[in-house]
Amino acid sequence: MKIAITGATGFVGSRLVERLQADGHSIVVLTRSVDHGRQVFPAANFPQVEVVGYSPQESGDWQTGVLSGCDGVVNLAGAPISERWSDEHKQAIMDSRKVGTEKLVEALAKADPKPAVWVNASAIGYYGTSETATFDETSTPIDNDFLSQVCQSWEGAAQPVKDYGTRLVILRLGIVLGMGGAVAKMLTPFRMFAGGPIGSGQQWFSWIHRDDVVNLIVQALQDPQMEGVYNATAPNPVRMGEFCKTLGKVLNRPSWLPVPDFVLEAILGDGAQVVLEGQQVLPKRTEASGFSYQYALVKDALDDIV
């Protein structure tokens, strides 16, 4: 297959490119900086990767023919959530997903032939947060929650691809675990014997190993029966306290020093709610699709990572 990918230089995207090349596919990396793209994917190591410059939030010449002849599109691009949410950054979070997807769909309209499948990232923030509710792919969103609004707009921007006969798969990602991302930020205090639960420790932590995300994307590209929304989370979410306790055991470090709410809020502002409130999300449609998790239990995931 020939696959076009946005967000390819990121935490999930870079591993996806490695996997697709290893499987013999060719990849078109769409990036704002061709130089950076080539640094991440040097031609000597990635002979099947073509790096193409694009302007993700602007219409332009880049849209003409960029997706022509591609068998699939994977749209992962988006400004990071784990930063302080100033008004400016909140706008960047929204626009990078909604407008970025709209402009990519404009490129799809100009493609000939058109890709058969489009895999679009979303997030479990779609459901809002709760310590008591359980969410699956059929659950309705919460309208007064910023991240839910972002996810609804993101998913809505991808819907028109179906008008072109392209199969649409939306993956609502949980917290992705790997060497980097959320785990990397938690390792330092644990290694200094200062690790512990974040906030109350009772909030739900719906996670997934990065390799399982990549495997799920590959399955979505290849399985013509997959269509619609799937939760990209492991089937066994845990409370934050249990997650931190397990991380401590894997590192052979204690997990006793809680991180107070106000510390996280001082760092992340409104973004702290993602970590402090959480949600319990189950991947019912994902399991029903026949997807086989490599890491269904958080201890197995953390053992592999650290």
Side-chain angles (χ1 to χ4, degrees):
M1 301 177 73
K2 182 178 181 181
I3 310 297
I5 306 176
T6 71
T9 60
F11 185 52
V12 172
S14 57
R15 180 62 64 89
L16 175 63
V17 171
E18 293 173 359
R19 165 68 188 280
L20 290 173
Q21 177 172 270
D23 288 350
H25 305 294
S26 59
I27 303 101
V28 178
V29 168
L30 299 179
T31 176
R32 288 174 296 178
S33 170
V34 172
D35 289 342
H36 177 64
R38 268 296 162 216
Q39 288 177 358
V40 177
F41 304 114
N45 298 331
F46 293 91
Q48 292 160 236
V49 173
E50 177 186 3
V51 179
V52 176
Y54 86 131
S55 302
Q57 296 180 43
E58 297 176 6
S59 302
D61 292 342
W62 69 268
Q63 294 171 310
T64 303
V66 71
L67 301 182
S68 296
C70 289
D71 300 290
V73 177
V74 180
N75 183 27
L76 301 173
I81 300 293
S82 56
E83 294 185 9
R84 187 169 183 83
W85 289 3
S86 64
D87 289 342
E88 182 180 6
H89 191 64
K90 287 174 76 171
Q91 194 64 51
I93 289 172
M94 175 66 84
D95 289 348
S96 62
R97 289 162 173 80
K98 179 179 183 291
V99 180
T101 300
E102 290 171 346
K103 298 306 175 185
L104 199 61
V105 172
E106 289 179 10
L108 176 69
K110 299 180 179 183
D112 184 24
K114 299 188 189 305
V117 57
W118 180 297
V119 180
N120 210 85
S122 183
I124 59 174
Y126 176 92
Y127 303 112
T129 59
S130 176
E131 281 194 12
T132 57
T134 301
F135 303 100
D136 62 31
E137 291 90 346
T138 65
S139 301
T140 55
I142 296 176
D143 289 333
N144 62 351
D145 180 276
F146 171 68
L147 278 185
S148 180
Q149 293 169 353
V150 169
C151 292
Q152 291 176 66
S153 297
W154 197 3
E155 295 180 16
Q159 292 299 320
V161 308
K162 296 185 291 186
D163 297 337
Y164 300 103
T166 298
R167 176 169 59 88
L168 175 61
V169 179
I170 292 175
L171 302 181
R172 292 177 181 155
L173 274 66
I175 305 296
V176 180
L177 303 184
M179 186 45 71
V183 173
K185 294 180 180 180
M186 299 177 74
L187 286 179
T188 298
F190 272 91
R191 285 175 170 158
M192 295 175 66
F193 293 87
I198 296 171
S200 69
Q202 292 301 304
Q203 69 272 39
W204 284 101
F205 189 81
S206 293
W207 60 277
I208 187 169
H209 192 289
R210 179 168 60 167
D211 288 347
D212 278 330
V213 175
V214 168
N215 291 339
L216 184 56
I217 293 172
V218 171
Q219 178 172 310
L221 288 169
Q222 297 178 340
D223 183 356
Q225 300 303 313
M226 286 187 70
E227 192 164 2
V229 173
Y230 297 83
N231 286 332
T233 58
N236 298 291
V238 294
R239 301 275 188 181
M240 177 62 78
E242 181 182 348
F243 175 81
C244 292
K245 184 177 180 180
T246 304
L247 179 58
K249 286 182 178 179
V250 169
L251 290 169
N252 196 26
R253 294 290 192 274
S255 176
W256 60 274
L257 191 63
V259 178
D261 293 9
F262 73 85
V263 173
L264 207 62
E265 288 167 351
I267 298 170
L268 297 179
D270 293 340
Q273 76 176 62
V274 180
V275 179
L276 294 173
E277 297 178 16
Q279 64 268 94
Q280 182 179 201
V281 178
L282 300 179
K284 289 187 177 180
R285 287 200 76 216
T286 305
E287 290 187 291
S289 76
F291 181 72
S292 178
Y293 286 88
Q294 193 172 350
Y295 302 97
L297 300 175
V298 73
K299 184 180 186 304
D300 294 339
L302 292 175
D303 276 334
D304 173 74
I305 293 165
V306 303

